Amino acid sequence: MNVEEFLDLFIRELEYNKKLRNYYRLIDSGRSFHFRKAYLHQRLSYVDRNVVKTHASIWDIGCGYATTAIYLTLKGHRVKGTTLEYYYEQVQQRLEYWNRVGNLDELNIEYQDLFETSFPKGSFDYIITQDTLHHLEPLDKALQLIEKALAGNGRLIVSEENGRNLFIRAKNFVKRGNKRIIEYYDDRLNKSLLLGNENVRSYELWIEELKKAGLAIDDSCTEYIRLYPPFMIHAGNYQERIRKEQECWKKSPWLKNYFFFGINFVAEPSPAGVRNP
């Protein structure tokens, strides 16, 4: 199964599972349909390209509705997903649908605090965080935990909002001011947790934070996505717009830094070999 085939099946799922529609805002989005589909396609394709091992062990942190985790399991990988989302109960209904497509025996989704997980050192070939890393607090402890859970040649695959984007910076400031970390009470876990409050960062700041945890970003895998607005993407130019975006950010640092909305990157244990005990 490739990404396009998976998304076709995913769209069919949305047609009957209305509980997913408000979250993904895809089939009811009218003129924004191809814009939103392009975004899902780019995120999933990025993971697909960078998970190169067969039958890999994967941890999807902040897996949400488990879309990426389901796709990777159908590709033959062993996937552990953890989430703290309020809609966790709805995941089981999704699994009933996708189990008719393929075997999901190697998929395990749990409602779990990141800091209560316990895996032997080097447990995972890949760890994935999609729009999740900026929520993890305390960040330094979260990254240390991730670094320990990665195999020696493992890779952390990240999708994030671009913290330099002018619109994102303005929107977040209006929404939360400078209050970048908040505390909330989790009724299911019966305890208080820290949460990064849309605490997005620039690519350069992520390099610094990851370096402190013994992780180094592989620049050759970095890409910026989501430049064109919805009205510029339609059925006739869907794939072409994705290709053009990849040309634009490589040619224009100005567009890359301040107008692209998303960034994908890969990090791995530092080549210096200094790892947390």
Side-chain angles (χ1 to χ4, degrees), residues 65-112:
Y65 272 113
T67 298
T68 299
I70 290 169
Y71 174 72
L72 290 170
T73 306
L74 292 174
K75 296 276 286 186
H77 303 294
R78 185 174 70 256
V79 184
K80 163 77 173 180
T82 52
T83 184
L84 290 174
E85 295 288 3
Y86 66 91
Y87 47 73
Y88 170 72
E89 300 289 355
Q90 298 174 30
V91 173
Q92 187 57 43
Q93 183 180 351
R94 297 204 69 194
L95 299 186
E96 292 172 5
Y97 170 84
W98 288 102
N99 262 311
R100 295 195 294 270
V101 176
N103 189 337
L104 295 181
D105 289 348
E106 295 294 334
L107 174 62
N108 179 26
I109 306 295
E110 292 189 55
Y111 191 96
Q112 192 173 24

Side-chain angles (χ1 to χ4, degrees), residues 35 225-229 244-245 248-249 255 259-262:
F35 169 78
I225 64 172
R226 294 172 61 209
L227 171 66
Y228 296 111
K244 283 286 188 182
E245 280 188 348
C248 284
W249 76 260
L255 285 175
F259 291 95
F260 272 82
F261 280 76

Side-chain angles (χ1 to χ4, degrees), residues 35 38-40 42-44 46 49 129-132 134 158-169 171-172 198 200-204 206 221-229 233 242 245-250 252-266:
F35 169 78
Y39 176 46
L40 289 172
Q42 286 171 291
R43 280 168 42 116
L44 205 53
Y46 186 76
R49 291 197 306 273
T129 65
Q130 293 181 306
D131 294 323
T132 297
H134 66 271
V158 179
S159 291
E160 275 288 329
E161 287 190 329
N162 175 15
R164 278 192 171 186
N165 178 281
L166 297 177
F167 176 81
I168 290 174
R169 290 168 64 182
K171 178 195 69 173
N172 286 343
E198 301 306 323
V200 298
R201 295 166 175 83
S202 68
Y203 181 57
E204 291 75 17
W206 281 123
C221 297
T222 300
E223 67 175 28
Y224 286 73
I225 64 172
R226 294 172 61 209
L227 171 66
Y228 296 111
I233 300 177
I242 292 177
E245 280 188 348
Q246 290 305 296
E247 292 180 358
C248 284
W249 76 260
K250 293 172 183 175
S252 173
W254 180 70
L255 285 175
K256 176 186 76 174
N257 288 325
Y258 302 113
F259 291 95
F260 272 82
F261 280 76
I263 181 170
N264 297 324
F265 57 86
V266 169

Side-chain angles (χ1 to χ4, degrees), residues 3-4 32 63 86 103 121 131 164 181 214:
V3 171
E4 196 65 42
S32 298
C63 65
Y86 66 91
N103 189 337
K121 185 176 180 180
D131 294 323
R164 278 192 171 186
I181 301 174

